[in-house]
Amino acid sequence: MNRLGRTSKSLTCGSAPASLLNMPYLTKPLLLLLCLLVSGECRKHGHRVRRWTGTTESDKHGTSLTKKPPDVTKSRKMKTEHLLKVDDHDFTMRPAFGGPAIPVGVDVQVESLDSISEVDMDFTMTLYLRHYWKDERLSFTSSTNKSMTFDGRLVKKIWVPDVFFVHSKRSFIHDTTTDNIMLRVYPDGHVLYSLRVTVTAACNMDFSRFPLDSQTCSLELESYAYTDEDLMLYWKSGDESLSTDDRISLSQFLIQKFHTTSRLAFYSSTGWYNRLYINFTLRRHIFFFLLQTYFPATLMVMLSWVSFWIDRRAVPARVSLGITTVLTMSTIITGVNASMPRVSYIKAVDIYLWVSFVFVFLSVLEYAAVNYLSTVQDRRERKLRERARSQSLPCTCGISQTRTMTMLDGTYSEADTNSLAGYTEEPMVPEEEQEEMQDVPEKPEHMVVHLSVSSESTTTKKKKSLRALNIIQNTHAIDKYSRMIFPGSYIFFNLIYWSVYC
């Protein structure tokens, strides 16, 4: 019994011990059958472990075999093309080809308004353009992923809307550090397609009120190939489909409003297309033009008025001042027009500058009139003095040297009065008494002045005629009236101008 017990403890699944040969005849078959059963179970258990774990690994210190969980990171996955079944469909055709028009929602986020050009009449905008549609060909089965996101490499293999910018001059998709394109696919086939674009588009501007103007520009989106029967573009969330960055600002403009609209566009050769509009209104800042245009022009006009207070005999001062203001106004007008497009209508700034130029030019003409009328008046006075000398009566006083002067109209100049100094006055003697005085001895030399005084009626008529032309011939009166007329007219013009355009 002891020997049998020791033998049973040494049994293994691989082979029978040699001591079985000494056991009784009936005991040997039973033990052989038991060993076969145990070895069969060992083989089944080892095969099941290998199939579950793939490989079996024994511990270096003699530990028993263990079962590990599967490593999903090392398991073989299916390709994207196979998961989205890209190769199983023809993506050159739109989704639901042959059926109703596929709706494509659009929303836009404006990142920046880069520039507004009056000369080129365009604007540059950077924006995020997103499209939403459903393509059942891209649906997939997934219990863990709510969506899958891809970059621009998959976009070339599937169908995407062919939206373009109407009236675009230049546009590009940003490609630093890679193409700024994102594609997100949901299990039910809904697709989000987003890209970052900078576009320069035309804007029809009206400069009739420049620089007190407001401009409204539009960025237009439309499908190039698909009419409204195949593709229906629409704003995904109405006016909320357009969002802007709060930090957007421009140097010359104030952004007043962004809004969206949509309508149908017709082409005679191809048909009707859905067109989306991004409208924004800009109001120009006036302070820059006040400093650079209006204030300098006003100062030049005021500077031209200084000549009204300068003596008319200071010809170089008044002429140089007038020419300087005229040239300065010409420079201001040229500088403003150089930064503006060559439009065929009159702008508000043109009205102000040209009226200011006219005021400056009239101040130059005013001095020309003053100078001319002064010359004419001096010449006329000179002729009157010469005529008075030629019409003076000779002296019959019997003196050797007699000076006679006749003063007309009772008017005496300061020079004529001074010429009488040193002479004695004597009343006029009739011709009858002059014969009786011939026998009178000579008296010391003296001067007899005969005053030829005209009648009162003739003098009154001449004074009335001279008084009628007094304002024209009196140069000081012209300057005096100009000091009031020019500033008053210019202030009146400014009141009308700013009340109309502001």
Side-chain angles (χ1 to χ4, degrees):
M1 292 298 293
N2 293 333
R3 185 170 54 184
L4 182 61
R6 287 193 298 269
T7 303
S8 61
K9 291 181 180 181
S10 62
L11 289 176
T12 61
C13 297
S15 63
S19 60
L20 293 175
L21 299 176
N22 299 324
M23 294 181 66
Y25 178 76
L26 295 176
T27 306
K28 292 180 180 181
L30 293 175
L31 292 176
L32 290 174
L33 180 61
L34 180 61
C35 289
L36 291 174
L37 293 175
V38 171
S39 62
E41 291 294 331
C42 290
R43 292 191 186 97
K44 291 180 179 180
H45 178 71
H47 179 69
R48 187 180 299 111
V49 171
R50 286 193 299 272
R51 186 173 60 185
W52 178 261
T53 60
T55 56
T56 58
E57 186 178 18
S58 62
D59 191 83
K60 293 182 180 180
H61 301 284
T63 59
S64 61
L65 297 175
T66 59
K67 182 174 71 172
K68 294 183 178 180
D71 188 358
V72 295
T73 61
K74 296 181 180 179
S75 62
R76 186 175 181 180
K77 294 183 178 182
M78 187 177 298
K79 292 183 178 180
T80 302
E81 290 82 356
H82 296 163
L83 180 62
L84 297 179
K85 302 177 183 179
V86 174
D87 297 333
D88 297 342
H89 302 280
D90 184 9
F91 284 96
T92 58
M93 296 184 295
R94 67 172 180 87
F97 182 79
I102 174 175
V104 176
V106 176
D107 67 20
V108 172
Q109 180 177 350
V110 179
E111 182 180 4
S112 64
L113 268 174
D114 301 324
S115 63
I116 307 290
S117 176
E118 291 88 358
V119 178
D120 299 328
M121 298 184 71
D122 58 21
F123 65 93
T124 301
M125 178 187 294
T126 301
L127 51 91
Y128 295 95
L129 179 62
R130 304 184 184 97
H131 309 77
Y132 302 86
W133 74 94
K134 184 177 182 180
D135 192 347
E136 295 180 354
R137 296 172 295 185
L138 299 177
S139 60
F140 61 92
T141 304
S142 176
S143 59
T144 57
N145 295 331
K146 295 182 180 180
S147 64
M148 291 190 299
T149 303
F150 308 96
D151 56 14
R153 286 171 288 189
L154 185 62
V155 174
K156 301 177 181 179
K157 299 180 180 181
I158 65 173
W159 182 89
V160 293
D162 59 339
V163 175
F164 78 106
F165 298 100
V166 186
H167 307 307
S168 172
K169 296 182 178 180
R170 296 174 299 275
S171 61
F172 63 92
I173 300 175
H174 290 261
D175 55 359
T176 305
T177 59
T178 184
D179 292 340
N180 296 172
I181 298 176
M182 185 267 290
L183 185 70
R184 182 171 295 170
V185 183
Y186 294 87
D188 58 353
H190 281 88
V191 181
L192 166 60
Y193 174 48
S194 175
L195 61 159
R196 182 168 175 252
V197 184
T198 295
V199 56
T200 300
C203 178
N204 295 324
M205 301 182 183
D206 182 13
F207 297 106
S208 59
R209 299 177 62 89
F210 176 87
L212 305 169
D213 58 334
S214 297
Q215 303 295 340
T216 300
C217 299
S218 300
L219 183 63
E220 305 172 11
L221 294 83
E222 183 181 304
S223 173
Y224 191 83
Y226 298 100
T227 62
D228 60 340
E229 297 178 356
D230 291 323
L231 188 145
M232 183 182 66
L233 280 178
Y234 68 97
W235 290 111
K236 186 174 182 296
S237 303
D239 289 337
E240 297 180 358
S241 300
L242 180 62
S243 59
T244 59
D245 193 340
D246 296 335
R247 296 174 296 177
I248 295 178
S249 62
L250 295 172
S251 59
Q252 292 189 24
F253 292 92
L254 173 65
I255 302 176
Q256 291 185 324
K257 183 175 63 174
F258 272 96
H259 65 281
T260 61
T261 55
S262 61
R263 66 185 65 175
L264 289 175
F266 176 74
Y267 297 90
S268 58
S269 301
T270 54
W272 293 89
Y273 294 82
N274 294 110
R275 182 177 294 183
L276 306 181
Y277 295 83
I278 302 174
N279 305 312
F280 55 95
T281 304
L282 305 173
R283 182 172 181 82
R284 195 182 305 274
H285 294 297
I286 186 59
F287 190 72
F288 171 81
F289 295 94
L290 288 177
L291 293 178
Q292 299 295 326
T293 304
Y294 287 95
F295 284 167
T298 304
L299 292 177
M300 287 300 104
V301 175
M302 297 174 65
L303 183 61
S304 66
W305 300 340
V306 177
S307 64
F308 302 151
W309 279 266
I310 299 177
D311 188 5
R312 61 185 176 85
R313 291 171 294 184
V315 178
R318 297 190 67 164
V319 171
S320 60
L321 182 61
I323 293 176
T324 301
T325 53
V326 169
L327 293 178
T328 305
M329 284 301 304
S330 300
T331 304
I332 294 175
I333 294 174
T334 304
V336 172
N337 292 329
S339 60
M340 295 296 298
R342 298 178 180 178
V343 295
S344 59
Y345 49 84
I346 298 176
K347 304 182 290 293
V349 68
D350 294 337
I351 297 176
Y352 193 90
L353 292 179
W354 279 104
V355 170
S356 300
F357 182 84
V358 169
F359 272 89
V360 172
F361 187 74
L362 288 178
S363 67
V364 178
L365 294 182
E366 187 269 347
Y367 177 65
V370 168
N371 194 1
Y372 174 75
L373 293 178
S374 299
T375 304
V376 171
Q377 185 177 6
D378 293 341
R379 188 182 305 166
R380 184 177 301 169
E381 291 178 355
R382 192 183 308 113
K383 289 182 179 180
L384 290 176
R385 286 195 296 268
E386 292 177 355
R387 186 181 303 170
R389 292 191 185 97
S390 64
Q391 293 179 356
S392 61
L393 297 176
C395 182
T396 59
C397 301
I399 58 177
S400 58
Q401 295 180 355
T402 303
R403 299 180 181 179
T404 305
M405 181 174 293
T406 302
M407 310 305 294
L408 300 177
D409 301 332
T411 58
Y412 307 93
S413 63
E414 183 179 358
D416 296 335
T417 304
N418 294 332
S419 64
L420 300 178
Y423 297 95
T424 60
E425 297 181 0
E426 183 175 321
M428 295 182 61
V429 181
E431 295 180 356
E432 298 176 354
E433 296 182 0
Q434 289 181 5
E435 296 178 355
E436 297 177 357
M437 295 175 61
Q438 292 179 356
D439 298 335
V440 180
E442 292 185 1
K443 295 182 180 181
E445 182 180 356
H446 63 280
M447 178 181 181
V448 179
V449 179
H450 297 272
L451 299 178
S452 176
V453 182
S454 61
S455 61
E456 184 179 357
S457 60
T458 305
T459 304
T460 305
K461 292 179 180 180
K462 290 184 177 180
K463 286 185 177 181
K464 289 182 179 179
S465 61
L466 292 175
R467 191 178 302 167
L469 299 176
N470 189 29
I471 297 178
I472 299 177
Q473 294 181 352
N474 191 342
T475 58
H476 296 285
I478 293 179
D479 285 338
K480 179 180 178 181
Y481 289 117
S482 297
R483 295 169 191 172
M484 296 182 295
I485 295 175
F486 275 74
S489 301
Y490 195 70
I491 292 174
F492 180 72
F493 161 72
N494 275 270
L495 292 176
I496 296 177
Y497 180 87
W498 295 107
S499 62
V500 170
Y501 287 102
C502 286

